[in-house]
Amino acid sequence: MAVPNGASLMAMSLRVVVPPHPLIGHWLTMLRHRETPPALYATAMQELGRWLTYEALRDWLPHRREPIPTANGDTEGLVVESRAPLLAMPVMPGGLELWQGGRQVLPEASLCLNGVPDSIETNAGLVIFIDQITDGTAVLRLLQDLQQQGVSGNRIRLITALCANPGLKILGEAVPDLTIYTTCIDEGLDASGLAIPGIGDPLQRLNLRLKGRV
């Protein structure tokens, strides 16, 4: 089936970043291993949330340079720009574990736990946390809701533990200028819709912790 030219151009604007860091690879391995217990699985999600958020902010967090005095003379310093608000949006419930790690890097971000808020400031940046992208339908609904509020892809950083190609294709064709930070891109999905080889079903593997969470 032929793909419309517009869809092809939008798919080309999708940017997927897989940071080549040994710690990211280590915690991905913990998620992939079928014998990883729930507590360690949750820790792996949190660590990946922390490291991927750190990487996602490297070239995106607004900042400025200004002169500062030191004990031995003046120099120039770099200061994070606090006037640009940041919103953190975990896709519940699995994305909450990634946010537990990400919030160490974003202590000043406003937390949105109930989906898209009624209003979003025009200069706000959004960091979305979702446990994994398989067929892409869940995150696409969220991104379309954001588009209706005028939030374009270049105002978003999407943090996810794992992506599969079918979901990336859908997102790339629907949301221009989107940037995703992840640990790995798996090729396809199994009959139940999970990535191959994937990280299993995060909701099942985190079940003991999620039952006890308020």
Side-chain angles (χ1 to χ4, degrees), residues 61-68 76-82:
L61 196 62
H63 60 274
R64 69 180 187 275
R65 294 187 176 275
E66 62 180 38
I68 58 170
E76 186 179 65
L78 187 148
V79 179
V80 172
E81 184 57 75
S82 59

Side-chain angles (χ1 to χ4, degrees), residues 8 16 25 46 54 61 87 150 155 159 167 186 195 197:
S8 297
V16 182
Q46 293 164 16
Y54 172 86
L61 196 62
L87 303 179
R155 290 173 56 190
I159 309 293
D186 282 352

Side-chain angles (χ1 to χ4, degrees), residues 20-204:
H21 198 293
L23 284 172
I24 291 176
H26 170 82
W27 291 114
L28 170 62
T29 300
M30 296 300 102
L31 293 185
R32 285 202 189 279
H33 200 297
R34 67 183 183 187
E35 302 299 332
T36 298
L40 182 56
Y41 192 92
T43 297
M45 278 284 192
Q46 293 164 16
E47 288 295 321
L48 288 176
R50 177 161 64 116
W51 289 108
L52 290 172
T53 303
Y54 172 86
E55 293 289 342
L57 298 180
R58 184 187 296 272
D59 63 349
W60 192 62
L61 196 62
H63 60 274
R64 69 180 187 275
R65 294 187 176 275
E66 62 180 38
I68 58 170
T70 77
N72 290 308
D74 295 338
T75 188
E76 186 179 65
L78 187 148
V79 179
V80 172
E81 184 57 75
S82 59
R83 289 178 295 178
L86 279 174
L87 303 179
M89 300 180 64
V91 177
M92 301 291 283
L96 191 59
E97 294 294 347
L98 288 171
W99 163 243
Q100 294 299 329
R103 69 178 182 176
Q104 300 176 46
V105 185
L106 291 174
E108 302 300 322
S110 299
L111 183 60
C112 302
L113 285 178
N114 298 312
V116 177
D118 293 334
S119 62
I120 299 174
E121 295 181 63
T122 55
N123 64 335
L126 286 82
V127 185
I128 298 173
F129 298 85
I130 184 169
D131 50 24
Q132 61 179 333
I133 296 173
T134 51
D135 63 7
T137 55
V139 70
L140 178 59
R141 287 193 296 269
L142 174 60
L143 293 172
Q144 288 173 333
D145 288 344
L146 289 170
Q147 284 179 319
Q148 290 179 1
Q149 289 210 29
V151 180
S152 56
N154 59 6
R155 290 173 56 190
I156 298 169
R157 287 293 182 272
L158 201 157
I159 309 293
T160 185
L162 186 78
C163 294
N165 269 330
L168 293 180
K169 182 178 184 298
I170 289 175
L171 297 180
E173 292 173 355
V175 186
D177 301 320
L178 180 65
T179 301
I180 298 173
Y181 280 78
T182 189
T183 67
C184 187
I185 302 173
D186 282 352
E187 187 63 29
L189 307 175
D190 65 14
S192 64
L194 294 177
I196 302 172
I199 56 174
D201 182 344
L203 298 188
Q204 290 183 359

